[in-house]
């Protein structure tokens, strides 16, 4: 909302989630994150992203599911996990755990962290959250950023994602 631009540094952790880490890197290399809005943000819980602003790009990833993996690391503050819609349904939607004390209850539900924010968590904490869960995922899939920019212009978004060694 306030127009802050900052760099968030994420360490990918294949030791926690080999498949999740590989998918995150694959999405990053494909520039999937560029322009993605944080469409579901629940303060002191999570910030969710991963519906691409271009419906054609989103369609390319729709059926590319990856299998579930054991939870080897807790969903502590700053960790990043894939959202799911059931067993073995991870594709491109991620959430960043923002709760100060972590979201330990998500461990038992099978959400496997694949990365962690190591710098810039203040920018994650500043992600626009007034709309909570109002943006409709079906419309985002169909209409992309056109819908989000028109109906929810204040949403925070990723300018670009790139891999640094």
């Amino acid at each position: 909302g306030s127009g802050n631009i900052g760099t968030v540094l994420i360490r990918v952790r294949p030791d926690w989630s080999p498949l999740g880490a590989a998918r995150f890197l694959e999405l990053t290399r494909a520039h999937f994150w560029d322009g993605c809005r944080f469409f579901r943000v629940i303060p002191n819980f999570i910030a969710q992203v991963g519906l691409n602003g271009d419906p054609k790009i989103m369609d390319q990833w729709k059926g590319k599911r990856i299998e579930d993996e054991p939870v080897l690391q807790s969903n502590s503050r700053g960790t990043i996990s894939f959202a799911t819609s059931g067993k073995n349904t991870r594709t491109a939607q991620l959430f960043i755990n923002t709760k100060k004390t972590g979201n330990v209850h998500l461990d038992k539900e099978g959400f496997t962290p694949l990365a962690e924010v190591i710098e810039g968590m203040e920018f994650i904490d500043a992600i626009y959250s007034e709309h909570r869960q109002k943006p409709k995922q079906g419309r985002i899939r169909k209409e992309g950023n056109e819908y989000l920019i028109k109906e929810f212009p204040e949403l925070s978004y990723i300018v670009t994602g790139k891999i640094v060694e």
Side-chain angles (χ1 to χ4, degrees):
S2 62
N4 287 338
I5 295 176
T7 299
V8 176
L9 199 55
I10 293 166
R11 176 177 288 136
V12 181
R13 299 294 305 258
D15 53 323
W16 294 350
S17 171
L19 297 175
R23 171 56 55 88
F24 180 81
L25 292 170
E26 183 185 6
L27 289 161
T28 305
R29 284 187 192 101
H31 300 283
F32 178 88
W33 307 115
D34 300 7
C36 277
R37 266 64 185 163
F38 284 90
F39 62 87
R40 181 173 177 250
V41 183
I42 302 161
N44 199 33
F45 180 48
I46 58 145
Q48 190 166 328
V49 69
L51 289 174
N52 190 279
D54 180 342
K56 285 187 210 67
I57 290 174
M58 201 58 233
D59 283 347
Q60 294 167 17
W61 292 94
K62 203 169 51 196
K64 293 186 178 176
R65 296 175 167 188
I66 56 172
E67 283 181 30
D68 294 339
E69 296 173 290
V71 177
L72 303 176
Q73 163 67 32
S74 184
N75 281 271
S76 51
R77 176 172 162 77
T79 58
I80 302 169
S81 297
F82 276 102
T84 66
S85 57
K87 200 164 168 41
N88 298 318
T89 57
R90 298 183 298 168
T91 53
Q93 288 195 47
L94 298 171
F95 60 86
I96 303 166
N97 289 292
T98 58
K99 188 176 181 179
K100 302 268 183 260
T101 55
N103 292 317
V104 178
H105 64 282
L106 296 177
D107 302 349
K108 289 185 289 294
E109 293 177 39
F111 292 100
T112 306
L114 59 113
E116 60 187 329
V117 174
I118 57 169
E119 218 174 274
M121 194 64 193
E122 67 273 20
F123 298 109
I124 301 301
D125 289 331
I127 288 171
Y128 188 83
S129 63
E130 291 302 305
H131 297 309
R132 308 270 171 137
Q133 309 187 62
K134 280 193 201 108
K136 306 255 182 289
Q137 293 193 31
R139 284 195 66 188
I140 302 169
R141 279 194 186 86
K142 268 196 223 62
E143 304 167 54
N145 281 348
E146 199 176 297
Y147 156 67
L148 290 175
I149 290 165
K150 195 171 88 197
E151 305 275 332
F152 306 100
E154 318 84 348
L155 291 182
S156 300
Y157 63 94
I158 297 169
V159 176
T160 190
K162 57 182 177 247
I163 297 168
V164 290
E165 298 301 327

